[in-house]
Every structure is written in structure tokens, then in C-alpha cells.
Amino acid sequence: MTAPAPEPAAVPDGARPGPDGRLRCPWGTTARDYAEYHDTEWGRPVHGDDALYERLCLEGFQSGLSWLTILRKREAFRAAFAGFHIPAVAAFTEEDEQRLLADSGIVRNRAKISAALHNARVAAEWPPGELDALVWSYAPEAAGRPVPRVFADVPAITPESTALAKALKKRGFRFVGPTTVYALMQACGLVNDHLADCWCR
């Protein structure tokens, strides 16, 4: 997920204390679901083809929507998409696609659903570990990255996310623009965009 924009005038631009007094990135204090996701998942390294495929799908479904919407529908997405097990999703039929379009538990967007199924079919043709290796090969060196102090310091895209998006598209993936890919990089720990004063950093 791209770090959600703070609510105007409600959330300061820097880290702020949550109910427990710990300083967090501002978006991590706006809802209980956000706080748990911020504290336990966002920015922590994620490996595995299926796990990265899931995150890539969910980031694609989030495009144009609140990440909170996706977060609250995540278990329904997992149920609908066979746990995001790449070979299982790659075997989905037209009937499965129609089932997904009728599933009110997920985001029923035809283009996003079609892209998720298409991407599974592409990834299913790769050797095990190749998606993981490709994604992580674009992780920048942490030593050269400035530590964000305020929300405005966190980028929406980077040269690495642009390059990874291009590489995924070249390999046949769809719905993987540089903003979506950078959100994946943030969420899966390829970069650390927790603010300098955030306790998770």
C-alpha cells in the first residue's frame, strides 16, 4: 500500500503518538486496522512467490480506493482467490471470473480481476522463486536512502519502482504501474518508509 494521506488538519505531517503513546507514521494512527497493519506488517520483508503475488494483486485492487477498504476485505479476497496460490489462480476459468465479478466481499472491478488472473497465468510459467528474485532484485541499497522525517518526504514512485514496473510489464504482467509497484516495495520491506521518529523504524 502507498502510505495513506493524512486527513487534512487532523493528522500532523510527522510521527504522532497513538493511544499507547508510541510514535507512529501519521496514517498508522487514524484507524485501529491501520495501526495493527502498520505495527505488524507494513515495511517488514515479505518473501515467496505467492505472498508477493498476493500483495501485488491487492495493491492493484487498491488503485483509486482507500487501502483501508482493501485491508478490511483482505480475508474475503484470500477466500475468493484460493489463498493467492499462483497455480490455483492460474487455473481459474471463465466461470471463476464471473464468480469473482459477483462476489460482494471483494472489489468487483473487471479490469483488476482480469489482470489478477492474467498475472497468475504468467507467473505460473516461471520457475519457483523467480517472482521473488525479480522483485527483490530491485530493492535499493538502504544506506543511500534518506530517512523520511515527515509524510511529505515519502515518495510515490522511485527510479527502482519505475524499473521494476517496466520489468514486470516486459515479462507480461498487467496493472503494475510504478506507483502500484512502489506501494508493494513499501509494504513488503524492499524500502523502509517508516518516518524517522516512528517506533517501527
Side-chain angles (χ1 to χ4, degrees), residues 44-68:
R44 297 176 188 268
V46 172
H47 283 281
D49 293 342
D50 290 348
L52 290 168
Y53 167 69
E54 174 184 351
R55 303 317 195 279
L56 197 57
C57 286
L58 294 180
E59 296 296 350
F61 275 103
Q62 186 265 335
S63 180
L65 302 171
S66 162
W67 176 249
L68 194 58

Side-chain angles (χ1 to χ4, degrees), residues 3 38 46 95 109 114 119 149 168 184 190 201:
H38 170 275
V46 172
E95 187 175 286
N109 179 291
S114 177
N119 292 345
R149 301 203 64 82
L168 287 166
L184 171 84
L190 281 78
R201 191 170 187 97

Side-chain angles (χ1 to χ4, degrees), residues 5 38 41 49 53-54 74-75 80 83 101 133 143 148 152 155 174 179 198:
H38 170 275
E41 293 188 60
D49 293 342
Y53 167 69
E54 174 184 351
R74 183 162 59 168
E75 291 310 314
L101 287 166
R174 299 177 185 166
T179 302
C198 174

